[in-house]
Amino acid sequence: PPAATLSVEPAAIGRSSPAPHAVLHSHPTQRASVSDYRWDLFISYKRGHCTELWVRTVLYPTLCNHAPPAGIRRTSIFWDDESLPYGSQIDQIKEAATTARCVLAVLSPDYFYESEWCWREWRTFANREAAAGLLNQAHQGTGIIYPLVHVDDHEVYPFHEEARQRRLDRSFLEYATLYGQQRGSERWSAFEARAVTLCKGLAQRAYRAPHFDPTLGFDDSAPPPRPRPEPLPLPSKVDP
């Protein structure tokens, strides 16, 4: 499914151009000026996985609460929480990815291999990093892609090499089974404290986004094939 998207208004990040008006969960219908970004944050995740419920009920609402103090307005967060859209809505998602300053990629084992949308969204931002000469910063953890690991099964299905080359945020793994009904618990409070740090990091990446390049479009390449898991070793022969 298409990646979910958080978008931050340019004004919140200290840019000179005005941010478009948006309401929570709404999608702009007109193309932004080609001279600047339209969104600040785009959330990308795999649908049909436990990650979808976690993003919908835990991560996204928490970001909406804590992003504004960090400089990211919730009206500038773009994400798609509907079923795979068709027609003009697909164009809107592509436009959002190409006009967002940074992406929060919520990684799960199927992110790169089972979702053409997740792969394409990742590649759209990776292409922008490459064009701006930011690959070194990306590998050091300061690029415009923020890879957050929600579920990790690297011993069987490792993340794609593009992710393994980066500094992955694994600090949310301990909250992978946290859901909305646990609000108010001590564990939820610890999660929120971590989310505050996350929002600050996202705001910094949005601020450091390279100059907007209208020639860089949406990457429509096909996702890579899933690697075969390593076969389990056969038990050693035991003499009677």
Side-chain angles (χ1 to χ4, degrees):
T5 328
L6 286 171
S7 70
V8 177
E9 292 190 8
I13 299 301
R15 301 303 176 98
S16 57
S17 61
H21 174 72
V23 223
L24 195 60
H25 295 293
S26 69
H27 301 286
T29 56
Q30 295 182 342
R31 181 168 181 80
S33 167
V34 294
S35 64
D36 204 353
Y37 293 104
R38 180 163 191 145
W39 305 98
D40 286 337
L41 181 59
F42 184 102
I43 299 179
S44 177
Y45 65 91
K46 170 69 172 65
R47 283 187 197 287
H49 189 272
C50 61
T51 298
E52 178 179 359
L53 179 62
W54 187 76
V55 169
R56 182 192 304 272
T57 62
V58 176
L59 181 64
Y60 179 69
T62 303
L63 288 177
C64 285
N65 289 334
H66 296 292
I72 296 178
R73 300 179 188 178
R74 54 188 292 178
T75 54
S76 63
I77 290 173
F78 179 93
W79 79 301
D80 174 67
D81 66 343
E82 303 296 334
S83 59
L84 182 62
Y86 293 90
S88 62
Q89 287 183 304
I90 288 182
D91 294 333
Q92 291 169 12
I93 290 173
K94 289 182 176 181
E95 180 194 67
T98 55
T99 59
R101 289 189 172 88
C102 65
V103 60
L104 175 61
V106 185
L107 303 184
S108 56
D110 292 338
Y111 180 90
F112 290 101
Y113 307 112
E114 298 295 328
S115 171
E116 62 182 29
W117 280 97
C118 290
W119 170 255
R120 291 169 177 174
E121 288 157 358
W122 175 286
R123 287 302 311 158
T124 295
F125 286 89
N127 290 342
R128 195 183 307 157
E129 287 179 334
L134 298 178
L135 289 183
N136 187 49
Q137 292 94 315
H139 294 164
Q140 293 176 356
T142 58
I144 60 173
I145 297 176
Y146 191 110
L148 184 155
V149 180
H150 174 237
V151 179
D152 188 3
D153 191 14
H154 64 275
E155 293 184 357
V156 179
Y157 295 116
F159 293 128
H160 190 271
E161 182 181 1
E162 290 208 13
R164 299 199 305 271
Q165 292 175 346
R166 297 171 182 262
R167 186 176 300 171
L168 305 181
D169 183 353
R170 299 179 181 274
S171 65
F172 285 85
L173 281 170
E174 59 184 302
Y175 306 112
T177 58
L178 185 70
Y179 293 105
Q181 62 268 30
Q182 299 177 42
R183 280 185 176 85
S185 66
E186 185 174 327
R187 189 169 175 231
W188 186 276
S189 298
F191 164 76
E192 284 200 296
R194 181 68 194 95
V196 168
T197 303
L198 170 63
C199 289
K200 292 177 181 178
L202 291 171
Q204 290 172 356
R205 290 173 190 245
Y207 183 81
R208 291 195 300 259
H211 182 72
F212 181 73
D213 185 349
T215 66
L216 296 175
F218 188 80
D219 190 313
D220 281 316
S221 60
R226 178 188 287 278
R228 293 185 177 183
E230 292 292 329
L232 295 176
L234 295 174
S236 56
K237 184 177 180 181
V238 178
D239 294 329

